[in-house]
Amino acid sequence: MPDKLRFGQGTARPKSLGYLMFASRWLQVPLYLGLIVAQAVYVWQFALELWHLIETVFLHQPSAQAAPSPEVVVMLTVLALIDVVMISNLLIMVIIGGYETFVSRIDLNDHPDEPEWLSHVNANVLKVKLATAIIGISSVHLLQTFIRAQTTPNDKIMWQTLIHLAFVASAVGLAYIDRLLSASPAEHTRPHL
């Protein structure tokens, strides 16, 4: 009988270790909560940039940025606002998509505001969406650099362009790999839960 108990304990230990490993996913929750705080910081940054735009256009306050004309200042400020929104969108994708993919399902009970992409999110889809969001953010930064081209060193413009192209190549590579994986026979034979 003691042998049976010892055998029973031996089989329970790996199972409890597996449950511990599975439960460790909840350690990511503080990380996602921290990203929500970062989202609040971006809301504050957006408000500051918007106030700067209002000051420039309506109150005719001189801009702290060295710009040749008010139109350029407005354009750069609007691009900064777009940049904040795009980074905020990236944060939402990471917070919601990452939590849904790696921690726990979010049961929204067919809420009318549920994001369309949430119903089919997985690690590969999330990677491609994040890569395309990073390209959008990089595009805004590159456009800001091109607008300031007269005051920006050529080597900085060159490096930003090369980094942007690296982001584009990475996103294309991720999308291609995702397409290969979704078309593989193993993907079609795997049971879906």
Side-chain angles (χ1 to χ4, degrees):
M1 192 61 106
D3 287 337
K4 286 185 179 179
L5 285 176
R6 193 173 298 136
F7 177 74
Q9 289 173 352
T11 56
R13 197 171 303 148
K15 192 172 185 179
S16 64
L17 182 62
Y19 282 124
L20 175 65
M21 296 291 184
F22 184 64
S24 71
R25 73 193 191 283
W26 290 100
L27 290 173
Q28 290 189 350
V29 171
L31 304 177
Y32 292 116
L33 292 174
L35 288 178
I36 292 171
V37 172
Q39 179 88 331
V41 170
Y42 267 100
V43 169
W44 177 253
Q45 182 66 35
F46 184 89
L48 291 177
E49 289 291 337
L50 187 59
W51 178 249
H52 173 71
L53 179 64
I54 291 168
E55 279 183 335
T56 302
V57 174
F58 296 112
L59 304 177
H60 304 293
Q61 295 291 323
S63 172
Q65 298 172 340
S69 68
E71 292 82 17
V72 172
V73 173
V74 169
M75 190 183 326
L76 288 171
T77 306
V78 169
L79 285 173
L81 290 171
I82 292 169
D83 187 41
V84 169
V85 169
M86 292 180 82
I87 292 173
S88 183
N89 290 342
L90 179 65
L91 279 169
I92 287 295
M93 279 191 282
V94 171
I95 293 166
I96 296 174
Y99 183 88
E100 170 89 11
T101 303
F102 299 110
V103 179
S104 182
R105 297 241 181 248
I106 301 173
D107 186 16
L108 297 177
N109 296 325
D110 296 323
H111 193 280
D113 293 333
E114 179 181 356
E116 177 269 329
W117 54 268
L118 191 58
S119 62
H120 57 271
V121 71
N122 62 39
N124 289 333
V125 170
L126 193 58
K127 280 188 279 189
V128 173
K129 285 195 173 297
L130 293 176
T132 53
I134 289 171
I135 289 171
I137 294 165
S138 175
S139 299
V140 170
H141 281 267
L142 195 57
L143 185 56
Q144 287 173 326
T145 300
F146 286 152
I147 290 171
R148 295 185 186 122
Q150 292 178 343
T151 59
T152 306
N154 287 337
D155 60 333
K156 183 176 180 181
I157 295 173
M158 180 194 70
W159 281 111
Q160 282 190 350
T161 304
L162 290 174
I163 290 169
H164 177 73
L165 291 175
F167 287 149
V168 171
S170 297
V172 168
L174 284 171
Y176 180 70
I177 290 169
D178 183 50
R179 185 177 179 147
L180 287 177
L181 290 175
S182 65
S184 72
E187 184 71 23
H188 296 294
T189 59
R190 187 184 324 161
H192 294 287
L193 301 176

